[in-house]
Amino acid sequence: MTPARLLPWATPDGNPCYLVGDGTSLVSRLADDVEAVLLDQAAELIGEARRFLRERTWTSGELHLMAVELTEALTATHRVAESRGARIPVPDDDPQNSGSPSAR
């Protein structure tokens, strides 16, 4: 059975959205596209933040806005990483898969 995929968006009240399927559906492809956009936006924001910090001429409002934007980008990137990490197959011989106490 394929595990549920964490989607890169949430419900209006902030709860996570999941998709069950084989990864070939329209919603799955849309999620792939949204993930790519979110990661591109995060990369652009990193560059902007580096320039912002290098100039050292920001106001407190600009600093607050940058913190808000970075937090949003980090939240989205974390969701993408969780989703992709959960879809990485774990080999049957992985000690994390066994029930032995030494694997925990």
Side-chain angles (χ1 to χ4, degrees):
M1 177 177 212
T2 305
R5 173 184 180 172
L6 175 64
L7 294 172
W9 54 80
T11 65
D13 56 347
N15 292 319
C17 293
Y18 294 92
L19 174 66
V20 177
D22 63 2
T24 61
S25 70
L26 176 63
V27 174
S28 184
R29 291 191 305 273
L30 176 63
D32 291 341
D33 292 344
V34 170
E35 285 182 355
V37 168
L38 291 171
L39 293 176
D40 287 345
Q41 289 174 341
E44 289 176 18
L45 188 56
I46 289 168
E48 186 178 327
R50 286 185 174 142
R51 283 188 300 281
F52 183 81
L53 292 172
R54 197 171 37 248
E55 292 173 8
R56 296 179 183 253
T57 58
W58 58 83
T59 67
S60 62
E62 291 170 326
L63 186 57
H64 177 78
L65 179 59
M66 180 60 67
V68 168
E69 290 175 346
L70 287 169
T71 300
E72 289 172 356
L74 184 57
T75 300
T77 302
H78 182 261
R79 182 182 297 270
V80 170
E82 277 187 310
S83 176
R84 291 183 179 184
R87 288 180 278 145
I88 296 173
V90 179
D92 291 335
D93 62 348
D94 187 332
Q96 295 287 341
N97 260 354
S98 72
S100 69
S102 62
R104 294 185 191 134

